[in-house]
Amino acid sequence: MSILQAGETKSDDGTDPIIFKELANNMPILCWMADASGYINWYNNRWHEYCGTTPVEMEGWGWQSVHDPAKLPDVMEAWTASIASGEAFSMTFPLRSASGTYQPFLTRITPHRDENGQIIRWFGINIDVSEQEETAKRLKEQSYALERVLAERQAILDQLGEGVIITGAGGEIVYMNEKAQILHGQKQLGVSPDEYSSTFQLLTLDREPFPVEQLPLTRAVRENITTADSEWIIHRGDGSEILAKGNARPVYDEKGKKIAAVLTIRDVTQTRANERALKEALDAKDMLLYEVNHRVKNSLQLVNSLLSLQAGQGSDELRHNLEDARARIGVVARLHGQLYLSSMHDRIEAGAFLESLVCDTVEALKPNDSVTSHAECDDDVMLLLDQAIPLAIVVNELVTNALKYAFDDQAEGTVSLAVRRSDDGKIEIEVKDDGGGLPDGFDPAVSSGLGMRVSYALVQQLRGELTFSASDQGTVFTIMFEAAPMREAV
């Protein structure tokens, strides 16, 4: 007989059965009592409410009917072992509810002994732990998902060609990917900003210890400053050194609170060595091109001198032809001289060069002091040497012809030059004079003169077009062609 079946009689310890009954029946957990043999003789109201059972159905060993058949053998084995040993019993197993569903319950059973230590009854409680188990399940799933994400990110970071170092908000290093470990020759976590330089042996480009407060990662941690393309030297434990280049920035959460700092670094040792080698090669090439242009100019000047000597010993026609040849060679020599003086050896700014050429030609060949030159040239017309040489010869021929023939009956005049880009991107060169125009019936395109034949041939070489217009107000020659694509400057 349980104490709840003892009427008004108080138990040996003075417990009032009515009060105990009220207490047990109002508990939110399932509870019950069994005699010393394990025969259950009382359940509280919550048990019957949950299981949808009656006291008669549950008395004795009737409780087995609300257990999961798959788990019941394990429960019976543990319960009978506890009865035999007199030890307390604890186990989680499912119990069927009145609706037929099973919920997990944490069950704890403890023996109650008399003054002689003999077990006189068992007290059992069943606590619904479905929410805890669901929470634990979700946490396990989330933990698994988080571990998977971390593993994926770890794999991604380890595959990067750059080293990655991550710190906490206070600056202590919490992560170094595999590349960062290789670059530094070590893996050190927990390093504080004050220890960055000494731990990883970081040096300035002047090979002095890198001041901690100036390190990109320190500035990201302490000053919230993002830095890019900083360079420093890493002296590794094996004595080797690399030149590192890196970026650092603070990291903030969605509320704007700084939670970390990140440094990405890469080894640029070989890159810098290649750049130095390339610079040395370019410097050597510059010197060679200077020398080539200088020698070409000198050689052409020698040829000019020889032609001048030869012209002085020949007929008038020969002298005239040799003088024309000297003028053309002089243009090429002048162009090479200009390249020798400039920082570019395979291209020239067309406007400035042609303006200087026209001005000097007019000064040298003008029939009287009242003939002048004028130029309007765009500043951004660059030509490669392959196009600049034939163009300069053609312009020189046109200016020379204007000076020879345009101003015979005039006391004064002007030879004008224009260099510009047309709307369709082509190069347009205009040579104009305000002389008396061309003789009636004269067509430069079919002229037998060597100068005009050379000019038309060279314009064809440029894949361009040479046109003219003439009136009693003067003559205009226009050259149109497409500039060759610029190669990388040398």
Side-chain angles (χ1 to χ4, degrees):
M1 181 178 64
S2 75
I3 63 171
L4 300 182
Q5 296 172 321
E8 297 297 326
T9 305
K10 292 185 178 182
S11 64
D12 296 339
D13 59 4
T15 304
D16 188 332
I18 296 177
I19 295 175
F20 186 86
K21 180 178 180 180
E22 288 297 320
L23 175 64
N25 280 327
N26 282 283
M27 285 184 179
I29 61 175
L30 283 59
C31 58
W32 46 268
M33 287 192 300
D35 63 18
S37 67
Y39 185 95
I40 299 178
N41 48 39
W42 176 84
Y43 296 89
N44 72 342
N45 291 342
R46 179 59 186 146
W47 174 283
H48 296 301
E49 289 172 1
Y50 172 78
C51 296
T53 56
T54 65
V56 174
E57 293 171 334
M58 292 291 98
E59 188 170 354
W61 302 91
W63 52 268
Q64 297 180 53
S65 63
V66 296
H67 276 252
D68 182 352
K71 299 290 185 180
L72 181 59
D74 294 337
V75 175
M76 287 296 298
E77 180 180 356
W79 176 215
T80 54
S82 184
I83 293 172
S85 66
E87 299 293 330
F89 168 75
S90 180
M91 187 178 184
T92 299
F93 48 76
L95 292 176
R96 189 184 66 219
S97 68
S99 64
T101 60
Y102 286 91
Q103 299 287 357
F105 282 80
L106 171 61
T107 298
R108 290 177 178 171
I109 306 172
T110 56
H112 179 216
R113 303 175 185 274
D114 62 15
E115 62 275 10
N116 297 319
Q118 296 296 314
I119 296 175
I120 56 176
R121 62 177 67 88
W122 296 86
F123 294 108
I125 59 172
N126 306 87
I127 303 172
D128 186 350
V129 292
S130 56
E131 289 186 4
Q132 291 90 326
E133 290 208 348
E134 184 63 29
T135 299
K137 180 181 178 182
R138 287 198 302 270
L139 289 175
K140 185 176 180 180
E141 291 173 349
Q142 292 172 357
S143 176
Y144 173 75
L146 179 60
E147 289 176 357
R148 184 178 62 188
V149 169
L150 291 175
E152 291 173 351
R153 292 184 178 179
Q154 175 78 39
I156 292 172
L157 290 172
D158 284 341
Q159 290 299 314
L160 291 177
E162 294 187 339
V164 178
I165 295 178
I166 302 175
T167 75
E172 294 78 12
I173 294 176
V174 298
Y175 174 78
M176 294 177 67
N177 74 341
E178 184 176 350
K179 186 65 175 180
Q181 298 173 38
I182 293 173
L183 292 177
H184 290 87
Q186 60 179 313
K187 177 182 180 181
Q188 294 289 344
L189 302 182
V191 180
S192 67
D194 289 333
E195 302 168 326
Y196 289 165
S197 283
S198 58
T199 300
F200 297 107
Q201 300 188 64
L202 308 181
L203 308 175
T204 66
L205 300 185
D206 295 328
R207 307 195 55 77
E208 297 294 331
F210 209 117
V212 169
E213 66 277 2
Q214 296 178 20
L215 285 170
L217 188 55
T218 304
R219 300 187 71 191
V221 170
R222 293 180 173 174
E223 303 175 47
N224 301 327
I225 292 176
T226 296
T227 56
D229 297 332
S230 298
E231 294 186 357
W232 61 92
I233 296 170
I234 300 175
H235 183 86
R236 298 187 284 201
D238 61 2
S240 62
E241 292 183 347
I242 66 167
L243 179 62
K245 187 172 187 175
N247 306 327
R249 66 179 182 87
V251 179
Y252 303 92
D253 63 16
E254 64 277 3
K255 296 181 180 179
K257 179 182 178 182
K258 185 173 70 179
I259 57 174
V262 177
L263 172 70
T264 58
I265 53 176
R266 58 190 182 277
D267 183 354
V268 294
T269 308
Q270 189 60 48
T271 301
R272 289 292 176 270
N274 293 341
E275 289 174 353
R276 287 193 296 271
L278 178 60
K279 184 178 184 304
E280 291 171 358
L282 289 175
D283 289 343
K285 187 175 183 180
D286 283 344
M287 292 300 298
L288 178 60
L289 287 171
Y290 275 126
E291 186 64 22
V292 166
N293 282 318
H294 183 59
R295 293 195 177 194
V296 168
K297 178 178 75 71
N298 289 342
S299 297
L300 290 174
Q301 286 177 341
L302 176 60
V303 172
N304 251 349
S305 298
L306 293 173
L307 289 176
S308 180
L309 290 172
Q310 187 66 39
Q313 300 175 4
S315 63
D316 290 342
E317 182 180 359
L318 177 60
R319 184 170 61 254
H320 176 75
N321 290 336
L322 290 177
E323 288 295 336
D324 287 345
R326 284 185 63 240
R328 295 174 188 124
I329 294 173
V331 171
V332 179
R334 181 191 186 100
L335 185 55
H336 277 280
Q338 186 70 29
L339 291 173
Y340 174 71
L341 295 175
S342 73
S343 61
M344 296 177 289
H345 312 293
D346 67 339
R347 68 198 64 192
I348 200 162
E349 204 282 295
F353 175 74
L354 292 177
E355 180 179 353
S356 174
L357 175 65
V358 170
C359 180
D360 290 348
T361 302
V362 170
E363 284 297 313
L365 301 179
K366 63 185 179 181
N368 59 69
D369 290 340
S370 297
V371 175
T372 60
S373 64
H374 174 73
E376 293 182 1
C377 305
D378 292 348
D379 295 332
D380 59 346
V381 180
M382 299 297 297
L383 292 179
L384 294 175
L385 191 59
D386 294 342
Q387 289 186 314
I389 289 176
L391 178 63
I393 293 174
V394 172
V395 169
N396 185 70
E397 291 289 341
L398 297 175
V399 172
T400 300
N401 284 344
L403 294 170
K404 284 181 179 180
Y405 306 114
F407 306 110
D408 287 346
D409 301 325
Q410 293 183 211
E412 59 183 29
T414 303
V415 177
S416 301
L417 169 74
V419 179
R420 52 182 170 262
R421 285 188 184 273
S422 62
D423 293 339
D424 60 1
K426 291 183 177 180
I427 306 300
E428 180 178 349
I429 310 294
E430 182 182 271
V431 177
K432 178 173 63 173
D433 66 69
D434 56 1
L438 298 176
D440 292 338
F442 179 76
D443 184 355
V446 294
S447 171
S448 61
L450 180 61
M452 290 308 304
R453 285 190 284 121
V454 167
S455 296
Y456 275 96
L458 291 176
V459 171
Q460 287 182 346
Q461 180 180 322
L462 292 171
R463 298 182 180 178
E465 182 181 12
L466 175 59
T467 60
F468 72 95
S469 63
S471 69
D472 57 3
Q473 302 297 316
T475 306
V476 179
F477 283 89
T478 304
I479 306 167
M480 294 283 292
F481 66 98
E482 291 185 2
M486 289 289 110
R487 300 184 292 267
E488 184 176 354
V490 295

